Amino acid sequence: MQYGYFDDRRREYVITNPKTPVKWINYVGTLAFGGIVDHTGGVLICKRDPALNRITKYIPQLPSSEFKGETLYLRFKQEDGYKVFSPYFVPTLDSDDLYECHVGLGYTRIVSEFYGIRTDVTIFVPLGDSRVIRDIQITNVSGQPLEIDAIPVVEYTHFDALKQFTNADWVPQTMQSKAYHDENGLLILIQYAFMNRDTQVNYFTSNWPVSSFESERRRFLGDNEYGTWANPLSLQEEELSNYEALRGDNIAALLHHLGAIQPGETARLITQLGQDESVSPALPAIRRYRDPAQVDRAFDELAAFWHTYLSRLQVETPDADMNSLLNVHNPRQCHTTMNWSRYLSLYQLGFGARGIGFRDSAQDVMGVLVSASKEAKELLRKLLDVQKRDGSAMHQFNPLTMVANEGDSREMEDRPKYYGDDHLWIILAITAYLKETGDMAFLEEAIPYYEKSKDGHPLDSGTVLDHMQRAIEFTQKDAGTHGLPLLGFADWNDTVNLRAGAESLFVANLFGRALLEMIELAQHLGDAEAVARYTNYYETMKQRVNDHAWDGEWYVRYFDADGSPLGSHSNDKGQIYANGQSWPVISGFAPLDRATTALESVYRRLNTRNGIKLSTPGYDGFDPVKGGITTYPPGAKENGGIFLHANPWAIIAETIVGNGDRAFEYYDQINPVTKNDRIDEFECEPYVYPQNILGDEHPQFGLARNSWLSGTASWAYQAGTQYILGIRPTYEGLLIDPCIPRKWAGFGVTREFRKAVYHIEVRNPDRVCKGVKSISADGKKVEGNVVPIFGDGKAHRVEVILG
Ligand code: NOJ
């Protein structure tokens, strides 16, 4: 079974069967204004924060057949009343003659045919704007004239998204709607929570005279809500009631009589769902976007934005699925994670204090640097804003208020209130930013630490470099009985929550990687004292890891507070962890023989045809000492599931030891594009990485969940472009160090770097995995494998021979 296909020429995935196994979504706009559009037209929209300023009510847990957030009804008269249907399939579920959902870059286009009516709807947020536009083109293909009415409908939520579901007294008393009669019979239906009446209103409007409207759900569905979204009783009436809701469940339904549409003729209805302080400041733009030419222009600008965004790095490899992923879908997913962190998806619901994750967004930054370095810098500033004076970091924060918290550690009183890894990721992100941009002045920028006085003033501030140094010093001092870094509440693996005093090998290795970055930076800055200090830290930690954590065939993953290992052959369950092996290679702590032995163990013990499991065997029963990991059955999520985020780290580690065949095997087996042919097993969107796939200890091996918002996006992009294709920014230039399958004859990459374009052609005449024999740039020999910074706004031809 297939539900659609990739249209690489248009950079779209086209869904052709609306009954996908789960909802497949797309993102429109950004966190500044935007959200999710599902493939049957439902939307979850917010402005700046899904928890604190949500606009539409979208309940993912309801069955897929249900109305969610927004729909469109069309109707025409029949002898016994109106035939009412939705061109999005949901919620009326009529049988279609044609259904296509084009999942595009920042837009979704749904094309359908029902009852001789072809509807072509493009849904998008214009660049930098605060409205969702639906450009609805309705064509009569029935062969005879048809009188058609169009009724787009939105359902609002209280702006405090969680309150909507936890308070059924206050919320409905506050929700109100008002009609604003604009020029030429046009209508703007506004909606607000009473406390926001004068400061923040949602609006829904169109470019066609509204003959009547409805703003209360109960009236729209009819019969005291024993009417349904599949068959709203009010749509059997000639007109809606023009009721301005004073409380209750607010909707906006606008009834348009499109009149008699002749065969072949098209009516174009444009709706806008937006938010502003009040109607008056919103009016100029509302009026502008009623003009179809302006909508076309905004859509063209969006297309141009994505064209430029993607053109900054394009690849041409012998593998078509890799090309599709690296040229379109993977960078697009990275853009999405940069915006939404782990905050808003169909699985991460954007309620309460979840907010932007410190470690998550630091890693997301690393996936967008080639195309969105300005936005990345903004995000880095926000992250540094929630770093604490002692160098550790708050775990997450609300982007609207910048109020941060300690994450799940708040739920267990006797556990540390920090995560051992959070603050170290920022070093990787900042140095990646510096290498990409050369913006060394950023290091001198002063940014406050998180702690504030009672009246809200920061208690301390430091330069960006100071923030990095404090992050290192925190971990340097925070050591346990083996001299290894303490775990804190958890490290990258949120679900292993050991007693205070436990040590983490993941943090040890991340510390090692961060130290390598600090050493390289200090060398670049000419700071010999810092080079010596960090080298000393590095060598000491390397020694400790190798003295204590080698288990014979792999490295252990943790030491519990009593000194007993987890991730050792001596354990019954959780004997080996994937990150326990990839990271000692990434940190450079593992000597080559241990590195290859440990990676071999990953292949032998953890690899499956659907990806590398995070650990094995899965814990089989709840154990309060180990915490969250044991709440999952074996094979699910962190408990022996294929947690995709960890896969690119194994890929990177394989490239470091020079095993290009295996690196590519790992890359290919998790490429979502390849899942299109096995979609009944996989179930999620084949155009993005999911967070997790059930492992082979689970009866539903291969089933994916939690698509879109995963660190897999950033790391798979880095693994593909910087380690397999091997093109990495450094302070001195562009490093070329591919590690590819030996059967490849070569590949090409076009990449922007420091204001010049590099057309890189790599040839592999000797069919090796790794090893650069020669490089020339514009015909001149390059010594070593770092191509210089040209910075001249021009294109340069780089020829590389492997061997
Ligand atoms: C998802 C969380 O967002 C991320 O921060 C964490 O590293 C992984 N789960 C693994 O537990």
Side-chain angles (χ1 to χ4, degrees):
M1 187 75 181
Q2 287 201 342
Y3 296 90
Y5 61 91
F6 286 89
D7 181 345
D8 278 356
R9 203 176 54 80
R10 291 177 186 273
R11 294 172 160 171
E12 290 178 343
Y13 183 87
V14 186
I15 304 168
T16 51
N17 176 354
K19 294 185 193 166
T20 53
V22 287
K23 284 270 162 145
W24 288 1
I25 63 161
N26 195 3
Y27 283 79
V28 290
T30 63
L31 177 59
F33 182 94
I36 293 166
V37 182
D38 76 35
H39 74 285
T40 57
V43 286
L44 200 175
I45 296 296
C46 68
K47 189 171 179 180
R48 297 182 60 204
D49 197 318
L52 303 178
N53 187 8
R54 191 178 293 217
I55 297 172
T56 57
K57 188 195 284 173
Y58 187 110
I59 309 176
Q61 295 95 333
L62 290 178
S64 295
S65 51
E66 291 290 330
F67 171 91
K68 293 176 185 176
E70 181 164 353
T71 195
L72 167 66
Y73 294 97
L74 299 181
R75 70 177 192 180
F76 54 89
K77 268 199 181 123
Q78 288 180 324
E79 269 166 26
D80 55 347
Y82 284 101
K83 173 68 210 167
V84 178
F85 71 96
S86 173
Y88 303 143
F89 180 59
V90 170
T92 56
L93 311 180
D94 294 57
S95 325
D96 60 81
D97 295 319
L98 170 76
Y99 164 88
E100 283 176 1
C101 173
H102 298 247
V103 180
L105 295 166
Y107 68 90
T108 285
R109 179 172 161 230
I110 299 176
V111 184
S112 67
E113 272 178 37
F114 293 86
Y115 309 110
I117 300 171
R118 182 185 170 94
T119 314
D120 186 332
V121 185
T122 303
I123 306 165
F124 71 104
V125 174
L127 287 177
D129 206 289
S130 291
R131 79 199 63 237
V132 186
I133 286 184
R134 293 203 184 205
D135 181 357
I136 305 163
Q137 310 202 16
I138 300 163
T139 306
N140 179 356
V141 292
S142 72
Q144 44 197 310
L146 268 180
E147 291 250 356
I148 299 173
D149 293 342
I151 310 97
V153 186
V154 166
E155 185 177 14
Y156 291 109
T157 172
H158 191 267
F159 63 87
D160 183 330
L162 193 54
K163 286 266 168 59
Q164 174 69 49
F165 297 110
T166 56
N167 192 323
D169 178 21
W170 178 67
V171 165
Q173 298 291 6
T174 68
M175 301 284 274
Q176 302 197 332
S177 280
K178 274 249 162 305
Y180 177 94
H181 296 278
D182 199 2
E183 56 191 22
N184 307 325
L186 300 172
L187 185 94
I188 304 170
L189 196 52
I190 62 170
Q191 191 282 335
Y192 46 82
F194 182 71
M195 64 192 276
N196 289 343
R197 183 191 61 191
D198 305 321
T199 52
Q200 180 178 296
V201 301
N202 302 318
Y203 60 82
F204 193 51
T205 188
S206 65
N207 66 337
W208 203 284
V210 169
S211 108
S212 56
F213 65 87
E214 188 53 78
S215 63
E216 202 195 56
R217 190 179 72 186
R218 198 163 60 139
R219 285 167 177 257
F220 184 73
L221 299 180
D223 215 3
N224 285 335
E225 288 204 320
Y226 290 91
T228 63
W229 286 111
N231 182 20
L233 299 179
S234 68
L235 292 185
Q236 290 306 325
E237 306 295 327
E238 196 79 22
E239 295 296 342
L240 299 172
S241 80
N242 291 334
Y243 181 72
E244 294 172 300
L246 298 169
R247 64 177 305 289
D249 294 299
N250 288 189
I251 64 165
L254 307 178
L255 172 55
H256 308 85
H257 298 302
L258 301 180
I261 303 182
Q262 300 304 316
E265 208 176 64
T266 300
R268 190 166 175 188
L269 172 70
I270 296 164
T271 65
Q272 303 177 42
L273 169 66
Q275 187 186 88
D276 214 321
E277 285 161 27
S278 62
V279 174
S280 337
L283 269 180
I286 286 179
R287 289 176 180 161
R288 190 167 69 246
Y289 282 116
R290 284 183 179 141
D291 175 0
Q294 295 291 341
V295 169
D296 289 344
R297 208 173 68 166
F299 188 72
D300 289 347
E301 281 168 8
L302 181 68
F305 165 83
W306 276 105
H307 178 78
T308 309
Y309 190 96
L310 296 178
S311 68
R312 299 214 165 96
L313 202 168
Q314 288 286 294
V315 309
E316 177 77 55
T317 78
D319 188 83
D321 292 337
M322 185 184 208
N323 296 342
S324 174
L325 190 61
L326 286 181
N327 290 336
V328 184
H329 306 287
N330 194 180
R332 194 276 150 95
Q333 188 179 359
C334 289
H335 180 267
T336 309
T337 56
M338 171 190 73
N339 267 283
W340 298 97
S341 194
R342 307 297 168 269
Y343 206 2
L344 187 69
S345 73
L346 293 191
Y347 307 88
Q348 321 221 20
L349 300 180
F351 293 128
R354 176 70 172 89
I356 303 291
F358 191 94
R359 78 155 80 89
D360 300 317
S361 289
Q363 293 169 78
D364 295 343
V365 158
M366 301 167 78
V368 297
L369 290 169
V370 68
S371 297
S373 59
K374 281 203 186 84
E375 291 90 334
K377 185 177 182 180
E378 266 316 300
L379 188 49
L380 285 173
R381 286 189 178 115
K382 287 196 178 132
L383 296 172
L384 292 166
D385 250 334
V386 300
Q387 189 182 356
K388 291 169 54 174
R389 282 183 292 179
D390 65 6
S392 70
M394 301 298 286
H395 192 58
Q396 55 200 28
F397 61 95
N398 274 110
L400 195 59
T401 58
M402 290 306 291
V403 172
N405 63 63
E406 293 93 351
D408 290 347
S409 68
R410 290 167 299 166
E411 287 164 21
M412 294 173 88
E413 251 174 37
D414 60 334
R415 300 295 166 89
K417 293 287 169 284
Y418 68 95
Y419 290 67
D421 65 319
D422 272 341
H423 52 287
L424 294 170
W425 292 107
I426 201 75
I427 294 175
L428 272 55
I430 293 170
T431 50
Y433 168 79
L434 297 175
K435 289 177 187 176
E436 182 73 49
T437 61
D439 176 15
M440 304 308 283
F442 183 49
L443 287 173
E444 300 310 316
E445 193 171 313
I447 296 187
Y449 289 96
Y450 184 65
E451 291 92 338
K452 314 264 185 316
S453 65
K454 281 208 181 94
D455 52 2
H457 293 299
L459 293 177
D460 196 3
S461 170
T463 62
V464 170
L465 185 58
D466 185 52
H467 280 254
M468 296 164 83
Q469 287 161 344
R470 290 199 199 185
I472 291 287
E473 293 306 329
F474 180 87
T475 299
Q476 172 66 13
K477 293 194 194 95
D478 196 43
T481 45
H482 298 90
L484 297 165
L486 292 172
L487 173 66
F489 178 70
D491 58 29
W492 172 90
N493 188 333
D494 281 324
T495 64
V496 177
N497 316 120
L498 305 173
R499 291 162 294 198
E503 294 166 290
S504 161
L505 270 301
F506 186 93
V507 180
N509 287 301
L510 179 60
F511 184 56
R513 180 73 236 164
L515 284 167
L516 289 179
E517 294 297 344
M518 291 303 279
I519 294 166
E520 204 184 341
L521 177 62
Q523 277 161 349
H524 185 68
L525 297 175
D527 183 347
E529 186 278 321
V531 173
R533 181 159 31 96
Y534 294 138
T535 306
N536 177 28
Y537 291 179
Y538 180 85
E539 291 303 333
T540 308
M541 190 54 72
K542 181 177 180 176
Q543 187 73 40
R544 289 175 189 165
V545 166
N546 283 300
D547 284 353
H548 301 298
W550 183 247
D551 194 54
E553 288 177 273
W554 58 81
Y555 286 94
V556 303
R557 177 66 174 80
Y558 307 87
F559 287 107
D560 204 347
D562 61 7
S564 56
L566 276 84
S568 156
H569 71 280
S570 60
N571 300 126
D572 279 352
K573 305 284 180 187
Q575 290 175 337
I576 172 170
Y577 284 71
N579 292 336
Q581 318 321 316
S582 52
W583 271 89
V585 182
I586 294 171
S587 67
F589 284 170
L592 188 59
D593 58 331
R594 286 188 175 183
T596 47
T597 306
L599 292 179
E600 212 40 53
S601 298
V602 169
Y603 194 63
R604 210 164 26 84
R605 298 284 313 265
L606 295 169
N607 192 39
T608 76
R609 66 176 166 84
N610 284 311
I612 301 166
K613 298 182 281 186
L614 196 59
S615 60
T616 205
Y619 300 98
D620 196 5
F622 179 61
D623 172 357
V625 175
K626 295 195 179 64
I629 191 168
T630 63
T631 61
Y632 294 109
K637 295 265 289 187
E638 283 95 335
N639 188 21
I642 299 163
F643 210 94
L644 258 83
H645 192 154
N647 279 242
W649 291 331
I651 296 172
I652 291 170
E654 289 291 354
T655 66
I656 291 172
V657 299
N659 195 347
D661 289 322
R662 187 168 290 163
F664 187 77
E665 181 185 341
Y666 285 163
Y667 184 85
D668 187 53
Q669 73 191 4
I670 61 162
N671 183 340
V673 173
T674 67
K675 306 290 183 187
N676 207 34
D677 300 330
R678 285 194 268 143
I679 205 70
D680 279 328
E681 174 183 87
F682 187 72
E683 293 202 350
C684 281
E685 298 94 325
Y687 42 90
V688 287
Y689 287 105
Q691 181 212 59
N692 67 82
I693 296 176
L694 289 171
D696 56 6
E697 287 183 80
H698 195 286
Q700 285 170 294
F701 176 48
L703 183 79
R705 279 297 181 271
N706 204 342
S707 50
W708 282 93
L709 301 186
S710 162
T712 316
S714 168
W715 281 103
Y717 192 59
Q718 293 176 66
T721 58
Q722 302 196 3
Y723 290 89
I724 294 179
L725 303 185
I727 301 179
R728 282 201 289 288
T730 70
Y731 296 108
E732 283 76 34
L734 207 49
L735 174 80
I736 313 233
D737 187 22
C739 184
I740 56 176
R742 70 184 72 238
K743 67 172 189 231
W744 282 14
F747 65 89
V749 172
T750 295
R751 190 201 203 278
E752 274 185 31
F753 177 61
R754 311 264 190 115
K755 299 192 171 58
V757 179
Y758 294 65
H759 292 293
I760 304 163
E761 204 52 56
V762 178
R763 282 189 288 132
N764 186 19
D766 299 340
R767 296 295 195 268
V768 296
C769 287
K770 192 167 175 152
V772 169
K773 204 185 293 171
S774 70
I775 301 184
S776 69
D778 299 326
K780 285 192 214 106
K781 188 173 166 44
V782 172
E783 291 304 332
N785 61 351
V786 177
V787 183
I789 298 165
F790 294 112
D792 56 3
K794 294 193 183 139
H796 299 270
R797 179 148 297 283
V798 179
E799 284 167 338
V800 182
I801 313 264
L802 305 182

